[in-house]
Amino acid sequence: MPSLPKQTRRLSQILSLVSMLALAVLFLTGALLSFQPDHHMAELAQEIGITDMSWTPSRLAVTLWSLSIWVSLAPLFYVFWHMYRLFRAFAGDAALSTQASTAIRGIGAGFLVKALMQVLSHTWEVLFLTMDAPQGQRQLSVAFGLEDLIFALAGGMMLVIGVVLTQAIAIKQENEAFV
């Protein structure tokens, strides 16, 4: 007898597909940003106050910038993959399973890493953008905002929920073995 209502399992099936679609969109976004970096680099230059870019970023700077895009997106790939796994577990009526608790912990860990990567990726992007600038125009910028704090808190919360769910599953299995 299933423990989750049919509507919940159906919604979970839909959300698992949405998670896979999000992975595809994220990949396409990364490809667009890394293979055509000029527009995004110009936006970043304006954002940090460079009105006249009198230099052209070197091939190394553009390559490093493109790689930093993929590094900054990696935690989101990890989060969406674990969301897919979580929704598949729910769709399969396995809400109280190690698969679900592992997926929840993975989502939490991904959010925590994403919070750190947001701070680092902005720093890297500015560094790579201005590394070929004339002396006196190079910049190093570190930014931490409310969004980073929200990602960190959400990640910590999901991590704790996953750990508590793992402990609850262990207690449930121990009780079932005893009875």
Side-chain angles (χ1 to χ4, degrees):
M1 179 170 123
S3 59
L4 291 177
K6 184 177 182 179
Q7 293 134 338
T8 303
R9 289 183 279 131
R10 180 71 183 137
L11 179 61
S12 295
Q13 288 175 333
I14 293 167
L15 290 174
S16 71
L17 293 174
V18 170
S19 298
M20 279 306 230
L21 180 63
L23 279 167
V25 168
L26 191 62
F27 178 79
L28 291 174
T29 301
L32 180 68
L33 288 175
S34 64
F35 295 123
Q36 293 185 345
D38 297 337
H39 178 70
H40 188 68
M41 290 178 95
E43 276 183 6
L44 179 62
Q46 285 182 347
E47 183 182 308
I48 62 174
I50 299 173
T51 54
D52 178 32
M53 247 177 94
S54 58
W55 71 94
T56 303
S58 68
R59 185 84 175 132
L60 176 63
V62 172
T63 302
L64 289 172
W65 187 86
S66 295
L67 288 173
S68 75
I69 293 295
W70 289 105
V71 170
S72 68
L73 290 178
L76 289 177
F77 280 106
Y78 189 77
V79 166
F80 286 134
W81 172 249
H82 281 286
M83 284 182 174
Y84 170 78
R85 291 183 61 228
L86 178 65
F87 292 131
R88 292 308 303 160
F90 289 169
D93 200 26
L96 292 175
S97 66
T98 55
Q99 179 185 0
S101 67
T102 301
I104 291 172
R105 286 194 322 260
I107 293 167
F111 278 163
L112 283 171
V113 172
K114 178 61 182 162
L116 175 64
M117 291 308 294
Q118 277 187 194
V119 173
L120 293 176
S121 68
H122 176 77
T123 303
W124 292 332
E125 286 179 7
V126 171
L127 181 68
F128 298 146
L129 177 69
T130 63
M131 71 188 266
D132 296 315
Q135 198 128 14
Q137 292 183 346
R138 295 180 189 141
Q139 294 185 18
L140 180 62
S141 171
V142 179
F144 182 82
L146 182 61
E147 186 177 311
D148 306 319
L149 180 61
I150 290 170
F151 264 110
L153 289 174
M157 177 187 67
M158 295 296 288
L159 203 54
V160 169
I161 290 171
V163 168
V164 169
L165 185 58
T166 300
Q167 293 168 347
I169 292 167
I171 291 169
K172 178 185 171 208
Q173 289 172 344
E174 183 181 321
N175 286 342
E176 286 174 350
F178 183 71
V179 173

